[in-house]
């Protein structure tokens, strides 16, 4: 069921309240944390409503799906500046459309992909913002760079002129009990701190935390949380 307007404003208000409380528990300022509304599988109506309720950052997993929405929403919402975030794996053959449409690519996990993004961004005169996705669990299906290879990847990527890396992103294994993800998030924070103390001060962002665990992610240092289900309800399966 789609959320009514009334429900949606209550829900978004409640999410901001929870972000605020988690920030305060960690001795942080609530405005250090940016909310990305994850709209994969959601239709234009849902996104339009979210825009009306003040949301401006949207996360999508699939390049084509996002572009379709982006194009139709542009006709109705020209007055707003909307930032699209790519939070799903980026295939090399989708780099060109991806850099045209996304403000931030959260899932850069190889040098090859980074070179390609830099090259295509240069062609259209864009400096593409991005995050490096770090592999947080041993599940074979998860994408991301191995934490051991992270420093050498960072060294090579941060010299690229048309790709601006702003921090790290991670997806932990799923646990019903959100406390179990805390070690994954504190590990990502630790990796970030190591890099910053090696002089990579620009790696300020930590994209971590989803519906089930965003408060814990914030306590562990998240600056970007990616929330879908807790705002829009359960997703329909993708067909
Ligand atoms: C789907 C997705 C989310 C949002 O998950 P919810 O549990 O619905 O909040 C966040 N991050 C990534 C990478 C996702 O694929």
């Amino acid at each position: 069921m789609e959320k009514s307007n009334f429900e949606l404003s209550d829900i978004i208000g409640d999410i901001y309240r929870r972000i605020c409380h988690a920030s305060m528990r960690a001795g942080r300022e609530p405005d250090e944390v940016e909310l990305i509304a994850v709209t994969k599988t959601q239709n234009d109506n849902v996104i339009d409503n979210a825009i009306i309720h003040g949301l401006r950052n949207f996360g999508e997993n699939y390049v084509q799906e996002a572009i379709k929405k982006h194009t139709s929403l542009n006709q109705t919402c020209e007055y707003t500046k909307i930032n699209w975030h790519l939070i799903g794996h980026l295939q090399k053959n989708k780099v060109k459309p991806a850099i045209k449409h996304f403000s931030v690519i959260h899932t850069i996990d190889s040098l090859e992909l980074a070179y390609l993004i830099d090259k295509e961004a240069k062609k259209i005169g864009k400096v593409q913002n991005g995050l490096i996705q770090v592999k947080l669990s041993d599940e074979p299906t998860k994408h991301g760079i191995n934490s051991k290879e992270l420093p050498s990847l960072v060294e090579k990527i941060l010299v690229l002129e048309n790709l601006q890396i702003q921090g790290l992103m991670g997806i932990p294994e799923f646990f019903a009990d959100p406390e179990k993800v805390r070690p994954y998030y504190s590990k990502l924070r630790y990796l970030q701190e190591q890099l910053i103390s090696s002089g990579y001060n620009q790696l300020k962002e930590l994209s971590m935390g989803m519906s089930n665990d965003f408060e814990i992610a914030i306590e562990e240092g998240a600056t970007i949380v990616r929330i879908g289900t807790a705002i829009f309800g359960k997703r329909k399966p993708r067909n």
Side-chain angles (χ1 to χ4, degrees):
M1 275 288 283
E2 251 167 56
K3 305 279 176 195
S4 70
N5 273 341
F6 188 65
E7 273 181 304
L8 196 59
S9 62
D10 276 359
I11 290 168
I12 294 169
D14 184 55
I15 299 270
Y16 278 121
R17 214 160 17 245
R18 288 168 64 189
I19 289 174
C20 181
H21 285 154
S23 304
M24 286 165 73
R25 278 200 297 280
R28 305 178 56 200
E29 295 293 331
D31 64 6
E32 286 172 27
V33 182
E34 182 173 81
L35 169 63
I36 295 182
V38 176
T39 45
K40 63 179 171 222
T41 78
Q42 308 291 353
N43 64 34
D44 293 350
N45 247 351
V46 172
I47 301 176
D48 244 345
N49 252 336
I51 292 169
I52 290 166
H53 287 90
L55 297 181
R56 293 292 177 268
N57 287 286
F58 296 99
E60 288 279 346
N61 291 59
Y62 302 97
V63 175
Q64 301 307 355
E65 185 185 332
I67 288 174
K68 240 165 67 193
K69 294 175 185 175
H70 191 159
T71 315
S72 63
L73 282 169
N74 266 350
Q75 288 154 20
T76 51
C77 299
E78 281 158 318
Y79 54 91
T80 51
K81 168 89 180 92
I82 297 167
N83 295 311
W84 293 90
H85 297 252
L86 182 64
I87 61 172
H89 179 64
L90 176 56
Q91 289 167 308
K92 297 197 176 70
N93 63 354
K94 301 274 169 58
V95 164
K96 206 187 267 197
I99 59 169
K100 262 179 80 182
H101 288 271
F102 287 97
S103 311
V104 187
I105 297 172
H106 289 227
T107 48
I108 299 167
D109 63 355
S110 74
L111 195 55
E112 238 184 317
L113 183 59
Y115 281 157
L116 211 56
I117 294 170
D118 180 62
K119 188 176 116 194
E120 292 298 333
K122 198 164 287 161
K123 281 188 198 163
I124 62 165
K126 179 182 184 183
V127 176
Q128 176 67 53
N129 289 327
L131 303 170
I132 294 178
Q133 182 177 0
V134 181
K135 194 175 159 91
L136 293 182
S137 88
D138 295 327
E139 291 170 286
T141 54
K142 288 272 188 295
H143 296 287
I145 180 85
N146 205 297
S147 58
K148 286 197 192 72
E149 298 163 42
L150 179 62
S152 76
L153 182 71
V154 166
E155 191 189 336
K156 293 181 187 114
I157 289 188
L158 263 58
V159 299
L160 298 176
E161 284 178 358
N162 290 70
L163 173 58
Q164 181 124 34
I165 296 291
Q166 302 169 308
L168 307 178
M169 178 269 207
I171 308 172
E173 239 173 285
F174 178 82
F175 295 101
D177 173 8
E179 265 308 321
K180 294 221 166 88
V181 303
R182 192 184 289 280
Y184 294 91
Y185 289 151
S186 63
K187 180 182 175 187
L188 196 61
R189 165 76 180 275
Y190 171 78
L191 293 170
Q192 179 204 31
E193 281 171 352
Q194 295 287 99
L195 289 166
I196 288 176
S197 66
S198 313
Y200 299 114
N201 296 320
Q202 60 271 68
L203 301 177
K204 292 188 169 58
E205 306 292 342
L206 269 186
S207 167
M208 59 186 196
M210 311 194 274
S211 291
N212 200 39
D213 57 27
F214 69 90
E215 287 149 303
I216 287 174
I218 291 168
E219 286 169 16
E220 296 300 328
T223 63
I224 300 170
V225 291
R226 309 176 306 262
I227 302 180
T229 317
I231 299 174
F232 302 112
K234 245 182 113 170
R235 281 180 290 273
K236 290 185 212 79
R238 194 168 176 265
N239 45 32

